[in-house]
Amino acid sequence: MASHRRPKQPSRARVSVFGAAAAATVALSSQSAHADPNPSKAEVKERVDELHEEATEITEEYNGAMEQEEQLKEEAEELQTSVARGQEELNELRNSVGSVASAQYRNGGMTPSVQLFLSADPDGYLDRASTLDQVTGKQAEVLRNIESKQRTLAQQREEATTKLETLEETRAEIKEKKDAIQAKLGEARELLNRLTEEERQQLQAEERAAEAEAQRQAEAAADRASRSEGRTDSPSATTTTPVADSGSGSSYAQSAISAAQSKIGSPYVFGNTGPHSFDCSGLTGWAYKQAGISLPRTSQAQANAGTRVSQSQLQPGDLVFYYAGITHVGIYVGNGQILHAPRTGSTVSYAGVNSMPFQFGVRVA
């Protein structure tokens, strides 16, 4: 399995996800089978972070394929419904012509006009006829309606068949990407299992400490904002979900932040969009949906959902994007903090805005 390492950024710490990897219960990849049997704690930390970043990249592709599957299902169903409805209309037209033919046959024979209606190729029959005097204007109109519906039905059936074939290909792609994600997580778990119990506990403690520090900073910043506005009630004293800076950010942004804060502690599950579990873009999309704004499904698509801003221009509610492939997204809550759904095994939590390789922000509203 190839490793897609990116250049290290010494000024920006990478998020630890060791508790996350321990939760994965999947098969091991072929690469891990040939890895160093006794890696150091630092080597495990680096490789596990890489594996989770790679899994996140595939998760974005997985989410895109899931979205395409849903769209293809809807389009195929609409086409099939349209075909069924069109077939009923065509049958009614043919039945009306058949009734006339039966009556004429019983009375001694069919007129040329009715023979024309019953032609296997009515359009060609009309084209070859030297004159349309042999049929009434109304009969010619019905005949052309029959021919038009036959063409439309043939085209819709072909489109529906193509959609269904593409749908099956997409479902196969989804399974392939899901297996790839699980393989990455499986390798991360196997690496962690090579460490001693003490080393694993140290890594998990470091991760918990980083999350606790981010939470503390967010609460302290919210408390300072509250005091500067003259309020005597301290948000940090009454809740573990501090509000963002109240001096900036639209009402939509503030509503999205509040929604995201209500999900602190909810588990990360790749492909999920809430309300009980989320992946990164699932959380941001769900939060803004509660504020009345619809966002695209993937982080790459959400990156084009508003106006791009630099880190110095960030306001509470802005979406923040990470890694060169734009494979991770969170919500800026102010004072250098974000809320996000990190990775498998973790939960919705706060983090520093520079805890991952920052790319840019996007102001949605």
Side-chain angles (χ1 to χ4, degrees), residues 60 67 295-306 319 321 326:
E60 283 297 296
E67 186 176 38
L295 294 180
R297 176 63 184 95
T298 66
S299 60
Q300 289 97 336
Q302 290 181 5
N304 297 314
L319 300 178
F321 296 88
I326 316 301

Side-chain angles (χ1 to χ4, degrees), residues 37 45 56 61 101 110 224 245 253:
K45 178 184 187 300
T56 301
E61 298 172 359
M110 291 183 289
R224 289 194 299 271
D245 292 338

